[in-house]
Amino acid sequence: MDAEVQKAVTGLDEARDRLREEVTAPLRAARSRFPEADEHHLLGSLAALVESLQELAAVAVERRSTHSTSWPAESARVHLDDAAALLREAEQRAKRNA
C-alpha cells in the first residue's frame, strides 16, 4: 500500500478505535439522558466530527484513482454534509432550549 494512504488508513483506524473506546462506550454505559443544558455541546462536537469526515471524503473524491468510485464517494460526501447541517440545526435548537 502507498505510504501516504497507509498513514491515512492507520490514522483513521486509530481514531475510530479511540472514539469507540473513549466516547461511545462510556456514553452508552451511562444510560441516563444528557442534561438539557449540556446537550448542545455534544451535538456541536458531533457536528464538527461529521464536518471533518465530510472534508476527508471531499479529499478522497478529489484524489481518487478509480472512476467507478466517483458517484458513491461523492454521494457519501453530500450525505455527510447534509448530516452535519442537521446536527448544527439540532445544536442550535438545543442551545435555545437550554
Side-chain angles (χ1 to χ4, degrees):
M1 183 182 308
D2 175 81
E4 184 180 26
V5 173
Q6 179 64 52
K7 185 176 179 180
V9 169
T10 300
L12 287 168
D13 288 346
E14 290 171 356
R16 181 198 63 230
D17 292 344
R18 187 168 173 214
L19 279 170
R20 285 181 176 158
E21 183 179 309
E22 295 179 16
V23 180
T24 305
L27 287 176
R28 188 174 282 145
R31 299 282 185 208
S32 61
R33 294 193 181 272
F34 303 119
E36 195 170 320
D38 296 338
E39 186 176 0
H40 70 280
H41 295 292
L42 182 60
L43 290 167
S45 292
L46 185 55
L49 180 62
V50 174
E51 289 163 352
S52 294
L53 289 172
Q54 185 275 340
E55 291 172 17
L56 180 59
V59 170
V61 169
E62 291 169 9
R63 298 199 45 206
R64 68 177 169 50
S65 298
T66 309
H67 181 68
S68 63
T69 64
S70 179
W71 180 84
E74 176 61 16
S75 181
R77 187 202 62 75
V78 169
H79 285 295
L80 286 166
D81 193 45
D82 292 344
L86 289 170
L87 286 164
R88 286 293 180 198
E89 181 181 338
E91 174 193 21
Q92 293 305 312
R93 288 182 183 195
K95 192 180 287 186
R96 284 191 300 270
N97 293 332

